Amino acid sequence: MTARAADRARYDRATAHLDAPVAIVDLEAFDANADDLLRRAGGKPIRVASKSVRCRALLERVLARDGFAGVMSFTLAESLWLASSGFEDVLLAYPSADRARYAELTADPKLASAVTVMIDDVAQLDLVDAARDGGREVVRVCLELDTSLKLFGGRVRVGARRSPLHSPAEVADLARAVARRPGFEVVGVMAYEGHVAGVGDAVVGRPLRSRAVRLMQAAARRELAERRAAVVRAVRAVAPGLEFVNGGGTGSVQHTAAEDAVTEIAAGSGLYVPRLFDNYTSFRGRPAALFAQPVVRRPGVGVVTVLGGGYPASGAAGKDRLPVPYLPEGLRYDPQEGPGEVQTPLLGTPADDLLIGDKVWFRHAKAGELCERFDTLHLVEGDTVTATVPTYRGEGHTFL
């Protein structure tokens, strides 16, 4: 029996009392992935990206481990909810235009001390001030640096379109604007190198593309390390009390951690290890989060149909954004249908061994987005479900 076949047997036994659709997290794999992230971080603390987890119980589990510290959230509403729930260090990774939540933040000392907001433009400070509604609490601010690699005099850009602040002078100018403004304090700098951390460099069947990605990423790491260090020096000259410099992501943990200017690493997807993180030369994780759909039809030889399963992930549309049938091994989509909203035909020899009601296990493309589909996660240890915990959705929250 292969390791994957053994996992399938365990998951089927553990969930035999549960009807599919069902989602699980294998805690042995989850904890092993956490260990690997810590190893790669080399002693620097890891801030957990909540959008990749979207389950308070699992956020609490990983933050209870030495080496993990703080949450990187994705909306202001989520940030305040987490802070109100006892999370004491929440960094909002994206600027917000949520005026009602800014009014709440600036009126509550506990929330204001726990939450740090992201800015890259003076207009965002204007929005906060306009929303204060009498709130006088000082707002903790993090400045985001654009990490994109610009080539050929800026005519070619590689990287996500996030912050407009690219140079040390631009970031320092914004830091000075914050320093002159009552009610705000610069406490951090963030730089997310998504073109390194979130792009696989070992794409199966595409050796030339993989080689090109590795060359691009090596150049990007060199350029960013030098520029990020200069940015931090420039910001510290304005805000000597700077508390943290955050960088990285699951795919670049060890590279970002090697930079002296970086004080903490952001990571989250590496805990669940969705399918987009299979194509890296720098690490190998264990799939920890899976979902199962039930077989509801047997249309013919070598074909079964499962209920639903069409759960595409965000990003540029493509096959890599789709879930993949994982267990039993050897199943594939019908190219004329793919994964569907209400039914998904699956082809392959293993289909002939599946009965009506059997489970087919899938892996989602992006980590936390699975939790937008399920109210609960069943936590598996060995071949037993030892706990069932709510996702954000299960607690009544869909923040985006």
mmCIF file of all heavy atoms in Angstrom, residues 227-243:
data_model
loop_
_atom_site.group_PDB
_atom_site.id
_atom_site.type_symbol
_atom_site.label_atom_id
_atom_site.label_comp_id
_atom_site.label_asym_id
_atom_site.label_seq_id
_atom_site.Cartn_x
_atom_site.Cartn_y
_atom_site.Cartn_z
ATOM 1 N N ARG A 227 17.370 46.689 -1.586
ATOM 2 C CA ARG A 227 16.437 47.814 -1.502
ATOM 3 C C ARG A 227 15.688 47.811 -0.173
ATOM 4 O O ARG A 227 15.453 48.873 0.431
ATOM 5 C CB ARG A 227 15.464 47.762 -2.686
ATOM 6 C CG ARG A 227 14.479 48.907 -2.742
ATOM 7 C CD ARG A 227 13.913 49.090 -4.153
ATOM 8 N NE ARG A 227 13.361 47.858 -4.692
ATOM 9 C CZ ARG A 227 12.101 47.467 -4.573
ATOM 10 N NH1 ARG A 227 11.248 48.224 -3.888
ATOM 11 N NH2 ARG A 227 11.673 46.349 -5.122
ATOM 12 N N ARG A 228 15.299 46.627 0.313
ATOM 13 C CA ARG A 228 14.572 46.563 1.583
ATOM 14 C C ARG A 228 15.454 47.068 2.730
ATOM 15 O O ARG A 228 14.978 47.790 3.616
ATOM 16 C CB ARG A 228 14.106 45.133 1.858
ATOM 17 C CG ARG A 228 13.349 44.985 3.159
ATOM 18 C CD ARG A 228 12.405 43.806 3.184
ATOM 19 N NE ARG A 228 12.874 42.592 2.552
ATOM 20 C CZ ARG A 228 12.068 41.595 2.153
ATOM 21 N NH1 ARG A 228 10.772 41.676 2.367
ATOM 22 N NH2 ARG A 228 12.567 40.521 1.579
ATOM 23 N N ALA A 229 16.723 46.704 2.724
ATOM 24 C CA ALA A 229 17.623 47.181 3.772
ATOM 25 C C ALA A 229 17.727 48.703 3.751
ATOM 26 O O ALA A 229 17.728 49.370 4.803
ATOM 27 C CB ALA A 229 18.998 46.555 3.605
ATOM 28 N N ALA A 230 17.787 49.275 2.540
ATOM 29 C CA ALA A 230 17.863 50.734 2.426
ATOM 30 C C ALA A 230 16.566 51.390 2.897
ATOM 31 O O ALA A 230 16.588 52.445 3.546
ATOM 32 C CB ALA A 230 18.160 51.112 0.978
ATOM 33 N N VAL A 231 15.445 50.771 2.599
ATOM 34 C CA VAL A 231 14.150 51.293 3.052
ATOM 35 C C VAL A 231 14.085 51.303 4.579
ATOM 36 O O VAL A 231 13.659 52.293 5.194
ATOM 37 C CB VAL A 231 13.000 50.456 2.464
ATOM 38 C CG1 VAL A 231 11.687 50.744 3.203
ATOM 39 C CG2 VAL A 231 12.829 50.733 0.985
ATOM 40 N N VAL A 232 14.505 50.211 5.191
ATOM 41 C CA VAL A 232 14.441 50.122 6.649
ATOM 42 C C VAL A 232 15.337 51.171 7.293
ATOM 43 O O VAL A 232 14.956 51.828 8.280
ATOM 44 C CB VAL A 232 14.804 48.700 7.114
ATOM 45 C CG1 VAL A 232 14.927 48.638 8.635
ATOM 46 C CG2 VAL A 232 13.758 47.694 6.627
ATOM 47 N N ARG A 233 16.529 51.371 6.737
ATOM 48 C CA ARG A 233 17.406 52.420 7.270
ATOM 49 C C ARG A 233 16.738 53.788 7.159
ATOM 50 O O ARG A 233 16.778 54.598 8.098
ATOM 51 C CB ARG A 233 18.744 52.418 6.518
ATOM 52 C CG ARG A 233 19.646 51.238 6.830
ATOM 53 C CD ARG A 233 21.062 51.478 6.321
ATOM 54 N NE ARG A 233 21.108 51.608 4.860
ATOM 55 C CZ ARG A 233 21.260 50.587 4.015
ATOM 56 N NH1 ARG A 233 21.391 49.351 4.511
ATOM 57 N NH2 ARG A 233 21.314 50.784 2.722
ATOM 58 N N ALA A 234 16.111 54.057 6.019
ATOM 59 C CA ALA A 234 15.477 55.359 5.811
ATOM 60 C C ALA A 234 14.292 55.562 6.754
ATOM 61 O O ALA A 234 14.091 56.659 7.289
ATOM 62 C CB ALA A 234 15.017 55.473 4.355
ATOM 63 N N VAL A 235 13.519 54.528 6.978
ATOM 64 C CA VAL A 235 12.357 54.649 7.862
ATOM 65 C C VAL A 235 12.804 54.781 9.314
ATOM 66 O O VAL A 235 12.239 55.572 10.079
ATOM 67 C CB VAL A 235 11.404 53.460 7.682
ATOM 68 C CG1 VAL A 235 10.291 53.494 8.722
ATOM 69 C CG2 VAL A 235 10.805 53.472 6.274
ATOM 70 N N ARG A 236 13.824 54.032 9.715
ATOM 71 C CA ARG A 236 14.306 54.126 11.106
ATOM 72 C C ARG A 236 14.849 55.523 11.406
ATOM 73 O O ARG A 236 14.805 55.972 12.561
ATOM 74 C CB ARG A 236 15.365 53.064 11.379
ATOM 75 C CG ARG A 236 14.808 51.661 11.503
ATOM 76 C CD ARG A 236 15.828 50.704 12.112
ATOM 77 N NE ARG A 236 15.354 49.328 12.086
ATOM 78 C CZ ARG A 236 14.515 48.787 12.965
ATOM 79 N NH1 ARG A 236 14.043 49.565 13.941
ATOM 80 N NH2 ARG A 236 14.146 47.536 12.871
ATOM 81 N N ALA A 237 15.346 56.203 10.400
ATOM 82 C CA ALA A 237 15.823 57.573 10.616
ATOM 83 C C ALA A 237 14.668 58.500 10.981
ATOM 84 O O ALA A 237 14.854 59.509 11.670
ATOM 85 C CB ALA A 237 16.528 58.079 9.362
ATOM 86 N N VAL A 238 13.465 58.156 10.523
ATOM 87 C CA VAL A 238 12.270 58.943 10.833
ATOM 88 C C VAL A 238 11.542 58.404 12.055
ATOM 89 O O VAL A 238 11.055 59.166 12.885
ATOM 90 C CB VAL A 238 11.313 58.937 9.620
ATOM 91 C CG1 VAL A 238 10.039 59.728 9.936
ATOM 92 C CG2 VAL A 238 11.997 59.472 8.386
ATOM 93 N N ALA A 239 11.478 57.049 12.146
ATOM 94 C CA ALA A 239 10.747 56.375 13.227
ATOM 95 C C ALA A 239 11.690 55.389 13.913
ATOM 96 O O ALA A 239 11.651 54.184 13.636
ATOM 97 C CB ALA A 239 9.524 55.649 12.667
ATOM 98 N N PRO A 240 12.546 55.875 14.797
ATOM 99 C CA PRO A 240 13.544 55.002 15.433
ATOM 100 C C PRO A 240 12.929 53.905 16.295
ATOM 101 O O PRO A 240 13.593 52.913 16.596
ATOM 102 C CB PRO A 240 14.387 55.964 16.282
ATOM 103 C CG PRO A 240 13.552 57.198 16.436
ATOM 104 C CD PRO A 240 12.702 57.284 15.219
ATOM 105 N N GLY A 241 11.667 54.065 16.655
ATOM 106 C CA GLY A 241 11.009 53.035 17.464
ATOM 107 C C GLY A 241 10.359 51.942 16.641
ATOM 108 O O GLY A 241 9.520 51.194 17.175
ATOM 109 N N LEU A 242 10.717 51.820 15.367
ATOM 110 C CA LEU A 242 10.131 50.808 14.487
ATOM 111 C C LEU A 242 10.178 49.440 15.162
ATOM 112 O O LEU A 242 11.225 48.975 15.583
ATOM 113 C CB LEU A 242 10.899 50.776 13.169
ATOM 114 C CG LEU A 242 10.232 50.107 11.976
ATOM 115 C CD1 LEU A 242 9.044 50.905 11.489
ATOM 116 C CD2 LEU A 242 11.255 49.915 10.844
ATOM 117 N N GLU A 243 9.029 48.789 15.248
ATOM 118 C CA GLU A 243 8.927 47.530 16.001
ATOM 119 C C GLU A 243 9.208 46.292 15.162
ATOM 120 O O GLU A 243 9.723 45.297 15.674
ATOM 121 C CB GLU A 243 7.531 47.399 16.626
ATOM 122 C CG GLU A 243 7.216 48.462 17.650
ATOM 123 C CD GLU A 243 5.781 48.371 18.152
ATOM 124 O OE1 GLU A 243 5.134 47.322 17.918
ATOM 125 O OE2 GLU A 243 5.292 49.340 18.769
#
